[in-house]
Amino acid sequence: MKQRSMLAVVLVLALSGAAQAKDLFKKSEVEAALTAAYDNYKGLQEGKNADYIPALAKVDPKVFGIVLVTADGKVYTKGDVTTEISIQSISKVFTMAKVIDESGTDAILNNQGVDATGQAFNSIVAIEQNRGAEMNAMVNPGAITATSMVKGANYDEIWSKILGYYNDFAGRHLTVLDEVYQSEAASNQRNQAIGRLMYAYGKIKADPDRATDIYTRQCSVGVNAKDLAMMAATLANGGKNPVTGKQALKVENVPEVLAVMATAGLYDDSGKWLYKTGLPAKSGVGGGIIAVSPGKFGIAVISPPLDGAGNSVRAQKAIADISNALGGNPLAPQPLK
């Protein structure tokens, strides 16, 4: 506990120093970075929409929006920043954070684990290999289990807490895209099986079907690029929304959330992503990616066409370019002056 407390203090001090600076970045530099990335990739035709959820196949593949929010609350945008997509697996980050806030970091660590599975995000083999352990909350078995761990007396209370938590990160009231929810609920038999198998191994304590349905609903929350960037910037700012000032996530729990994002946030390509950018990130098959440069910025890009691993093609390229231009890699050396 002393080590975690010291880490939290270091993080708070770092963020406080950033907040005291007049500006984290020059406006012209950020705008130039966003414009260059947008212009470079707006015509890119690689990838295709997810189609295993029928509603996702209908989303306009030309949607392309970039938003960067600095840890001191400056908002920069380029492209389509109003069209809403479903949050999908990006929601996993924030439900995991809610569980950690409510029950402590060991709750996630001891119940489903935090290691990468080495299997597909919806693998049943991975569950069987480890009897429900070593799942992490960024893959479906661990994520459905995390949803089941949010405290509440009934479905409505649990859902209200989850959505309210998302609202705190986004800085506005979010709603469910009903067409997406209905489409997913009608085609999520595999997730139902995953939930029941995690229940059989004792990781979900009660009513796995309720957990799966709430998980399906959380994946169907509508977000635009600005919402996602604000959620990422809240993580970059020590759990405090940099625009509203709301402390959404306890500052001492931020490092653990970012750690799981870093190791498992982009499905099977998480290692490649971290190798190239150093940024904790999370993707969703709706076409969004968020990434966090701690103490500096949160960034989000929405572009529905995905690569074979399930990650937005344009979003990966744009975020990497922008972060490189702004020195966002938290693993890059910072020589003493």
Side-chain angles (χ1 to χ4, degrees):
M1 290 299 294
K2 289 183 179 179
Q3 188 176 17
R4 288 190 65 242
S5 298
M6 181 62 70
L7 184 60
V9 169
V10 170
L11 180 62
V12 170
L13 291 175
L15 292 172
S16 296
Q20 291 171 5
K22 184 176 181 181
D23 283 301
L24 285 169
F25 299 97
K26 291 182 180 179
K27 180 180 178 181
S28 59
E29 292 177 346
V30 179
E31 290 178 341
L34 266 64
T35 297
Y38 183 82
D39 289 346
N40 283 342
Y41 302 118
K42 64 183 178 181
L44 192 65
Q45 300 297 315
E46 296 177 21
K48 65 176 184 177
N49 287 28
D51 56 10
Y52 67 94
I53 300 170
L56 300 187
K58 300 178 182 178
V59 179
D60 184 357
K62 295 180 181 179
V63 171
F64 183 29
I66 306 172
V67 179
L68 183 146
V69 180
T70 64
D72 56 353
K74 306 294 190 307
V75 180
Y76 300 92
T77 69
K78 191 69 180 180
D80 185 342
V81 298
T82 59
T83 295
E84 288 190 350
I85 62 166
S86 52
I87 192 171
Q88 296 298 331
S89 285
I90 297 172
S91 69
K92 294 171 178 174
V93 172
F94 303 98
T95 298
M96 177 185 71
K98 180 63 175 175
V99 173
I100 290 173
D101 259 359
E102 286 189 338
S103 302
T105 55
D106 285 348
I108 290 288
L109 181 65
N110 295 337
N111 195 43
Q112 60 262 62
V114 296
D115 289 326
T117 67
Q119 301 283 355
F121 70 95
N122 61 352
S123 173
I124 290 174
V125 172
I127 303 174
E128 294 283 43
Q129 283 178 333
N130 295 290
R131 300 178 63 84
E134 302 300 326
M135 285 293 99
N136 83 70
M138 300 298 103
V139 294
N140 289 14
I144 295 169
T145 301
T147 298
S148 79
M149 296 168 68
V150 176
K151 296 178 179 179
N154 52 49
Y155 185 114
D156 289 341
E157 183 177 337
I158 294 168
W159 172 244
S160 179
K161 289 173 70 175
I162 290 173
L163 185 60
Y165 199 65
Y166 293 7
N167 292 344
D168 290 343
F169 276 89
R172 76 174 184 100
H173 182 68
L174 304 174
T175 59
V176 171
L177 301 178
D178 191 62
E179 181 183 2
V180 176
Y181 169 68
Q182 295 297 338
S183 182
E184 289 201 48
S187 58
N188 71 346
Q189 289 79 16
R190 187 179 186 89
N191 278 346
Q192 292 176 41
I194 286 171
R196 292 175 188 178
L197 192 53
M198 292 298 281
Y199 175 68
Y201 283 123
K203 303 303 179 181
I204 293 177
K205 309 305 180 186
D207 201 347
D209 291 341
R210 181 180 73 178
T212 301
D213 190 66
I214 295 175
Y215 169 76
T216 303
R217 190 176 294 275
Q218 78 178 39
C219 287
S220 305
V221 168
V223 287
N224 58 41
K226 184 177 179 181
D227 297 326
L228 290 177
M230 198 68 68
M231 297 171 90
T234 299
L235 292 171
N237 191 40
K240 178 185 286 189
N241 186 302
V243 173
T244 69
K246 173 80 173 185
Q247 189 73 41
L249 169 66
K250 295 174 183 176
V251 65
E252 62 267 26
N253 292 332
V254 172
E256 285 81 359
V257 173
L258 295 180
V260 181
M261 291 173 66
T263 57
L266 263 71
Y267 305 119
D268 297 342
D269 282 351
S270 297
K272 294 177 183 177
W273 172 259
L274 192 63
Y275 187 83
K276 292 178 179 178
T277 70
L279 298 174
K282 185 70 192 86
S283 63
V285 294
I289 296 182
I290 64 170
V292 178
S293 181
K296 293 183 177 180
F297 60 79
I299 185 171
V301 175
I302 287 177
S303 175
L306 312 177
D307 63 15
N311 303 311
S312 169
V313 177
R314 286 195 195 105
Q316 291 177 81
K317 293 178 180 295
I319 291 172
D321 283 6
I322 292 166
S323 178
N324 288 339
L326 299 178
N329 188 339
L331 304 181
Q334 301 291 331
L336 295 175
K337 295 181 180 180

